[in-house]
Amino acid sequence: MFSKVLVANRGEIAVRIIRACRELGIETVAVFSEADRNALHVRYADEAYLIGPAPSRDSYLRADKIFEVAKKSGADAIHPGYGFLAEREDFAARCADEDITFIGPKPSSIAAMGDKGKARATVIKAGLPVVPGTEAVGNMTNEELLATAPSIGFPLLIKATAGGGGKGMREVKTLEEMPALLSSARREAESSFGNGNVYLEKLVEGARHIEFQIMADSFGNVIHLGERECSIQRRHQKLLEESPSSFVDDELRTKMGDVAVKSAQAVNYVNAGTIEFLVDKDKNFYFLEMNTRLQVEHPVTEMVTGVDIVAEQLRVARGRQLSYTQEQIKQNGHAIECRINAEDPFNNFMPSTGRITHSLLPTGPGVRVDTGVYPGFEITPYYDPMIAKLIVWGETRGQAILRMRRALEEYRIVGVRTNIPFHQTLMDSHRFMGGQFDTRFVEEKFSMDDAIESRASNSEIAAILATLVAHQQSELSAQRVKRNERDASNWKWVGRWERMHR
Ligand code: MV4
């Protein structure tokens, strides 16, 4: 049992965690850097302590400072949020040593999933599907990798075992070019993670990135809260997430959910976690990796399931059982999250810094904004450029898109450039409306230039979407088609509209 939580993070996620604690009557302790003296998480917490200069390595990554504050304030638990210390096995282990509850999984689960080679081996041993590739654990030599490559087949990917975010990843088309690519992948992995280990996977082409939220308690109960579609990303940075995925039907959801739960069980998982999958166009799916933390995009799952994931994290960390069984989890409606970044979409998404002089947040039915900034706050270059998450809920995907368009129009941020125009363009894209996209979409098929013309036909697009919504509703009420087929027919409808207007 604990009564005071130290939030070892900043920005919107620190605020999100403090809010959950408040509702549960748990006291909160914030830590902050010199750049964050006026930050929202500092104002919202019951107590706040300065832990060092602006750079993360001198503040939010200083485990020693954080334990010092925990002692001083009498905090009996630490929530790490995402990033920073969230997936550091040694940090979670030290919490146990200091008799402080780490609100997250066991150090052994973090370690087992943190090494992507070990994670693959564990999941294979549990009889679960992974992308064909190397199965050994530990450092494979170039000779071993070159000998195994032909049996995996080309094209394949070299990936860093310490990896994530595409760092140290290389696409290999032939055996001849492989030695040079192995060297450069190892060099990049060594400089990024201090670990040059790599493994091989067959390249899955045209895949979608779909992940499952799981929750587990310390009594061995593990449930999943359905999927999130995360294919809309640029350079391995997610820009938009939605739930459910229009690509996942009930049958696929049951199968993938079962694999997600079993993957978590394979590492005796407790607390919130995410299983990432690649899903190809024929709906074959493969375990990719597990994130052993609360994720940025958790709100879309909260909006469709009604589960407060952070409250549930606090509950299971306090030694209680999950408040839900798998049967009680139902997906209701559709949620979309746009990550609002301080960056210029018209200038290669360059980070934008400065003081926010004015801002007007969208509100109204079905709209949620999670943010750590406010007018007067200065955006510095020290941290992630994500300044807010705009999340909307609608009864159908079409309604959620309409609502997102409305909310993006209402949103005003003055003082820094943001990627709001990118999201507006995306909402108007026919491919996005039709759910016809994979992980290459933003980089290969999407241009801000298309935007400029299509913004002119604003009212026209609203009209199409409104018709789309009406169409979905009539099918819903008649219960003529299942969810997946309904989305296929939407696409047909948008296609027809496109041909008409060519
Ligand atoms: C892949 C893949 C295709 N085939 N693995 C990129 C980051 C890392 N976490 C995994 N990634 C990928 N692994 C195989 N075998 C394609 C990607 C990938 C990707 C994955 C998820 C989200 C966005 C992506 C963008 C490009 C490539």
Side-chain angles (χ1 to χ4, degrees):
M1 258 323 196
F2 49 80
S3 56
K4 198 186 248 196
V5 170
L6 185 154
V7 182
N9 216 300
R10 65 180 302 282
E12 65 83 20
I13 199 64
V15 173
R16 169 72 188 87
I17 295 160
I18 292 167
R19 284 182 170 140
C21 292
R22 260 286 134 72
E23 289 180 15
L24 293 166
I26 300 169
E27 287 186 85
T28 52
V29 180
V31 293
F32 62 97
S33 72
E34 281 166 12
D36 277 340
R37 286 176 189 281
N38 300 315
L40 217 49
H41 75 286
V42 173
R43 299 189 182 193
Y44 277 30
D46 295 306
E47 300 167 57
Y49 297 85
L50 178 68
I51 51 168
S56 308
R57 65 174 177 282
D58 301 321
S59 49
Y60 297 105
L61 287 169
R62 285 286 297 271
D64 57 334
K65 292 274 187 195
I66 286 160
F67 284 112
E68 204 180 291
V69 172
K71 286 273 135 61
K72 200 164 18 177
S73 62
D76 37 22
I78 296 180
H79 197 308
Y82 52 71
F84 299 127
L85 300 165
E87 291 176 281
R88 289 267 299 271
E89 174 200 4
D90 52 350
F91 183 76
R94 186 160 162 204
C95 286
D97 294 343
E98 308 264 357
D99 211 24
I100 292 170
T101 305
F102 178 76
I103 302 169
K106 293 191 274 268
S108 59
S109 310
I110 298 176
M113 289 300 185
D115 179 304
K116 309 301 171 197
K118 266 192 212 160
R120 266 177 71 82
T122 306
V123 169
I124 292 167
K125 202 168 146 225
L128 305 173
V130 299
V131 187
T134 49
E135 302 194 1
V137 180
N139 203 349
M140 291 181 78
T141 63
N142 283 4
E143 291 64 43
E144 289 170 323
L145 293 167
L146 289 163
T148 318
S151 66
I152 296 168
F154 297 94
L156 58 74
L157 284 175
I158 302 171
K159 291 186 177 187
T161 58
K167 281 261 172 60
M169 199 164 92
R170 294 289 183 280
E171 187 178 330
V172 188
K173 294 193 183 69
T174 63
L175 190 60
E176 290 66 49
E177 66 177 8
M178 198 165 143
L181 290 167
L182 276 172
S183 310
S184 80
R186 284 188 194 279
R187 241 180 290 121
E188 191 173 307
E190 182 63 52
S191 76
S192 305
F193 314 113
N195 176 350
N197 269 5
V198 295
Y199 63 103
L200 307 178
E201 269 182 11
K202 179 119 184 76
L203 174 74
V204 182
E205 285 173 276
R208 287 178 176 244
H209 177 200
I210 295 174
E211 60 185 29
F212 273 68
Q213 177 71 53
I214 67 102
M215 282 290 330
D217 64 24
S218 51
F219 300 89
N221 302 304
V222 186
I223 62 171
H224 74 81
L225 306 185
E227 79 282 9
R228 292 184 287 256
E229 166 69 65
C230 302
S231 302
I232 302 290
Q233 54 83 47
R234 182 179 173 275
R235 301 190 175 172
H236 303 296
Q237 296 299 316
K238 292 171 189 161
L239 290 165
L240 175 145
E241 303 93 349
E242 51 181 314
S243 186
S245 164
S246 56
F247 196 65
V248 177
D249 54 50
D250 289 339
E251 187 191 336
L252 184 60
R253 181 170 300 113
T254 303
K255 281 200 272 180
M256 292 178 72
D258 182 55
V259 171
V261 165
K262 285 177 173 152
S263 305
Q265 284 167 334
V267 293
N268 302 310
Y269 203 80
V270 177
N271 217 284
T274 297
I275 314 291
E276 292 185 3
F277 293 101
L278 282 176
V279 186
D280 72 18
K281 45 189 178 309
D282 304 319
K283 304 205 170 171
N284 298 305
F285 64 93
Y286 310 93
F287 170 94
L288 198 58
E289 43 194 79
M290 179 172 190
N291 300 318
T292 56
R293 59 162 190 274
L294 176 69
Q295 290 200 218
V296 173
E297 58 271 30
H298 76 275
V300 293
T301 301
E302 295 188 320
M303 303 281 268
V304 298
T305 61
V307 176
D308 181 329
I309 295 171
V310 180
E312 233 13 56
Q313 285 193 291
L314 293 164
R315 181 184 166 92
V316 301
R318 286 168 123 175
R320 314 244 335 249
Q321 291 205 31
L322 285 170
S323 356
Y324 305 86
T325 62
Q326 187 66 63
E327 292 65 45
Q328 288 171 318
I329 302 295
K330 295 272 179 295
Q331 290 178 320
N332 176 33
H334 195 99
I336 302 177
E337 170 181 280
C338 288
R339 297 191 185 194
I340 309 300
N341 295 340
E343 57 191 23
D344 184 356
F346 297 104
N347 185 15
N348 205 26
F349 294 84
M350 275 262 277
S352 172
T353 57
R355 190 176 304 279
I356 296 181
T357 54
H358 305 272
S359 95
L360 264 178
L361 298 185
T363 60
V367 177
R368 165 176 169 181
V369 181
D370 281 19
T371 182
V373 305
Y374 59 91
F377 188 74
E378 187 173 347
I379 310 301
T380 63
Y382 296 105
Y383 313 111
D384 193 278
M386 193 186 76
I387 54 172
K389 304 187 301 203
L390 170 57
I391 308 120
V392 302
W393 181 89
E395 233 164 278
T396 62
R397 186 170 187 269
Q399 266 183 339
I401 296 173
L402 277 175
R403 193 162 265 170
M404 184 59 88
R405 297 180 82 252
R406 186 268 290 176
L408 288 164
E409 248 167 45
E410 282 181 26
Y411 213 154
R412 295 282 186 284
I413 300 177
V414 184
V416 292
R417 290 179 200 279
T418 75
N419 64 350
I420 290 174
F422 164 84
H423 287 299
Q424 290 183 301
T425 310
L426 184 60
M427 289 303 120
D428 291 353
S429 137
H430 299 157
R431 291 179 69 108
F432 178 74
M433 282 190 224
Q436 301 294 104
F437 53 81
D438 60 36
T439 56
R440 296 167 305 189
F441 176 63
V442 175
E443 277 147 299
E444 291 182 7
K445 307 243 168 43
F446 184 87
S447 153
M448 286 297 292
D449 302 338
D450 318 334
I452 301 169
E453 297 148 49
S454 78
R455 293 302 302 162
S457 57
N458 200 25
S459 58
E460 220 176 5
I461 285 161
I464 310 166
L465 276 163
T467 313
L468 230 164
V469 167
H471 174 73
Q472 285 174 332
Q473 272 173 341
S474 68
E475 299 216 328
L476 255 183
S477 54
Q479 295 201 315
R480 264 182 285 132
V481 287
K482 292 204 297 264
R483 176 177 278 140
N484 57 323
E485 290 158 338
R486 205 165 70 230
D487 274 307
S489 66
N490 290 348
W491 171 232
K492 246 185 266 163
W493 197 91
V494 171
R496 210 171 295 154
W497 180 87
E498 257 187 300
R499 285 191 294 279
M500 227 167 65
H501 287 259
R502 223 174 263 154

